[in-house]
Amino acid sequence: MTRSLPPTPTHPLTAIRHPTTPAPGSVLGATPYATENAEAYEATGGYAAAVTPDELLHHLDACGLRGRGGAGFPAAVKLRAVREHGRRGRGSGTRGERAAGAGTPVVVANGEEGEPGSVKDRWLLRARPHLVLDGLVHAAAVTGAAHGYVYLSDPEAARRVREALTERVPPLPIQVVETAAGYVAGEETAVVRRIDGGPALPTAKPPRPFERGVGGAPTLVANVETLARIALVAARPDLREPIARSTLITLSGGGVVPELTEVPYGVPLRALAAAHGTPAPAGALMGGLFGGLVDARALDLPLEPGALAAAGTALGCGAIRFLTADVCPVGAAAEAVGHLAAESARQCGVCVSGTAAISDALDRLTSGSAEPDTAERLHRWARGLPGRGACGLLDAAAGLAGSLLRAFPAQVRAHLDGPCPVCRAHAPGRGPHRLVVPVPAVGTPSPTPPAEPMAAVLEGTP
Ligand code: SF4
């Protein structure tokens, strides 16, 4: 069954579709339009861990929970690395090891959501701040941290988190640190730099924060959805597999209302598109901007990080923008890279020149003023630029160019002769406005019936 999601007077922004997973193991929860207070959270089993820190680490290892900020790194490995560096810093290592990571560990809940097509992190902090704080407290217990931070740019989320901290005082000091929104502001070294009082800009690696982070201490910078899933595993280790193998996703594009939902891994992208209201998509922009473009054939892939990576794309932060047949993929790439070029922190020369060059080449394709060797130059940049900047922004721009050439070669060739009718009629927009998905309204329980659960919509899919 497919259906579109028209805006309602009460929820004119992004809609929320109920989860497929049972409520105890769901991040979206039973009342996603309202902020959950401490009492309601405790009634779900929150703040009452069923496991010790070592047992939690074992469960996270066993279920293979991966980070939800974009890179998908195993959560248990990251926690263990911070704990080990903290132990060395406290005197069990050599003098050199102590110097490399001195200090008691620090834990950071990273809620800075730079991908313009993603809303899950800001929704989570606005709607379920206690779930995130509970996860942060568990992460502190595992790593031995004595201080925590919640890092974000959304003022509304900051207000809800501060309220939650006064509602239920945590066992370690937790500060809220606000930053200006930006594509690179949530990169882990930018997070550390901002908390230490500097600008929210990435630094060269190594050292990584788990070695030397906030104040020089080993630091866990964990995405807020990752922490939410850690809290859920701690409360319900018997549900560790479905908790680790479900994910929040933001669906947009297709001319229908954007949607935040939670689905299990394995659902075909095509089924998600149909459920969202785009029954015949021509492709998709994957992982926010980080997974690049895929064509219609790739939509038979399952929503699963490993399968997507093997196919040359990425789930990233879980933001997927479906492209309808009347959207030009060259124009979509131009718009996305234009956004990245505008968001470059302008610290690395290769990023400044590289993103500008890719953006200019794609713009020229859309306007019909490209040189004959534009495709070759895009190929060269897509191969040669990744890994040369201090953060992933340059990689994302190069990846978008490469994915366009792989997925839509005929359209690129055609644009060498002149703009397509879509680009001629609607020049790709500049700035983030067309890519931005608004955060769902949170705070007022819905007086209207909730959307049909995603489980029902996806019935019959693997
Ligand atoms: S790669 Fe680009 S965005 Fe990243 S730190 Fe360097 S200049 Fe800034």
Side-chain angles (χ1 to χ4, degrees):
M1 173 186 176
T2 64
R3 64 194 292 278
S4 60
L5 296 168
T8 68
T10 48
H11 302 133
L13 306 174
T14 298
I16 301 175
R17 178 105 66 178
H18 282 192
T20 59
T21 45
S26 158
V27 171
L28 209 49
T31 55
Y33 282 116
T35 298
E36 182 181 50
N37 64 21
E39 191 183 353
Y41 179 59
E42 285 169 21
T44 70
Y47 289 129
V51 295
T52 66
D54 280 345
E55 288 168 345
L56 176 56
L57 207 46
H58 161 75
H59 287 300
L60 295 175
D61 259 331
C63 67
L65 177 69
R66 289 182 175 271
R68 302 309 161 94
F73 202 70
V77 173
K78 210 164 161 179
L79 285 160
R80 196 173 282 112
V82 174
R83 181 170 76 170
E84 292 309 314
H85 275 77
R87 286 178 175 169
R88 288 181 208 167
R90 283 195 292 271
S92 60
T94 64
R95 184 183 296 179
E97 285 170 336
R98 289 197 296 275
T104 304
V106 169
V107 287
V108 181
N110 185 6
E112 172 46 20
E113 192 166 41
E115 286 284 2
S118 182
V119 299
K120 70 181 180 77
D121 293 335
R122 284 164 292 168
W123 166 81
L124 182 52
L125 288 165
R126 291 181 184 192
R128 303 200 71 187
H130 287 285
L131 181 61
V132 175
L133 292 171
D134 195 8
L136 191 62
V137 170
H138 282 297
V142 170
T143 58
H147 207 114
Y149 296 89
V150 179
Y151 174 83
L152 40 68
S153 66
D154 176 23
E156 187 58 25
R159 188 175 71 75
R160 308 285 171 108
V161 172
R162 286 196 174 99
E163 277 174 8
L165 286 168
T166 57
E167 251 189 300
R168 194 183 193 281
V169 178
L172 74 161
I174 294 177
Q175 281 174 257
V176 177
V177 174
E178 294 182 66
T179 187
Y183 192 83
V184 300
E187 197 272 345
E188 61 176 6
T189 59
V191 174
V192 167
R193 202 170 170 188
R194 174 73 189 95
I195 292 175
D196 276 340
L201 298 175
T203 56
K205 298 175 275 292
R208 288 190 171 274
F210 76 88
E211 301 164 300
R212 182 187 290 276
V214 174
T219 299
L220 177 84
V221 180
N223 168 262
V224 289
E225 184 188 348
T226 313
L227 292 169
R229 292 189 185 278
I230 288 173
L232 291 170
V233 170
R236 292 294 304 268
D238 57 315
L239 292 177
R240 68 190 186 190
E241 307 294 343
I243 292 167
R245 294 191 59 76
S246 297
T247 195
L248 293 176
I249 53 173
T250 313
L251 304 176
S252 63
V256 289
V257 174
E259 184 174 59
L260 169 69
T261 189
E262 184 173 19
V263 294
Y265 287 159
V267 174
L269 299 177
R270 195 178 299 285
L272 279 178
H276 178 56
T278 315
L285 182 55
M286 296 292 299
L289 306 182
F290 198 76
L293 290 158
V294 296
D295 62 15
R297 290 166 303 173
L299 298 174
D300 291 324
L301 289 167
L303 183 94
E304 200 279 321
L308 294 174
T313 181
L315 181 57
C317 62
I320 301 174
R321 184 175 190 83
F322 294 112
L323 308 179
T324 47
D326 60 353
V327 172
C328 172
V330 179
E335 203 161 271
V337 176
H339 177 71
L340 291 170
E343 287 285 308
S344 167
R346 310 190 74 76
Q347 295 190 122
C348 316
V350 67
C351 176
V352 175
S353 59
T355 54
I358 297 171
S359 180
D360 181 61
L362 293 172
D363 279 351
R364 284 174 171 275
L365 280 171
T366 62
S367 64
S369 58
E371 289 89 13
D373 68 342
T374 295
E376 285 84 64
R377 282 189 289 127
L378 285 170
H379 268 299
R380 211 165 50 240
W381 292 324
R383 279 196 305 270
L385 291 178
R388 292 180 60 191
C391 78
L393 184 142
L394 179 59
D395 299 8
L400 272 159
S403 67
L404 174 70
L405 294 163
R406 274 194 311 279
F408 299 100
Q411 287 86 339
V412 174
R413 276 196 303 275
H415 279 75
L416 290 170
D417 297 329
C420 69
V422 176
C423 289
R424 191 173 288 119
H426 306 286
R430 276 290 144 261
H433 55 285
R434 290 202 221 181
L435 300 168
V436 168
V437 172
V439 186
V442 173
T444 310
S446 171
T448 56
E452 188 170 3
M454 191 57 99
V457 179
L458 296 175
E459 213 169 304
T461 62

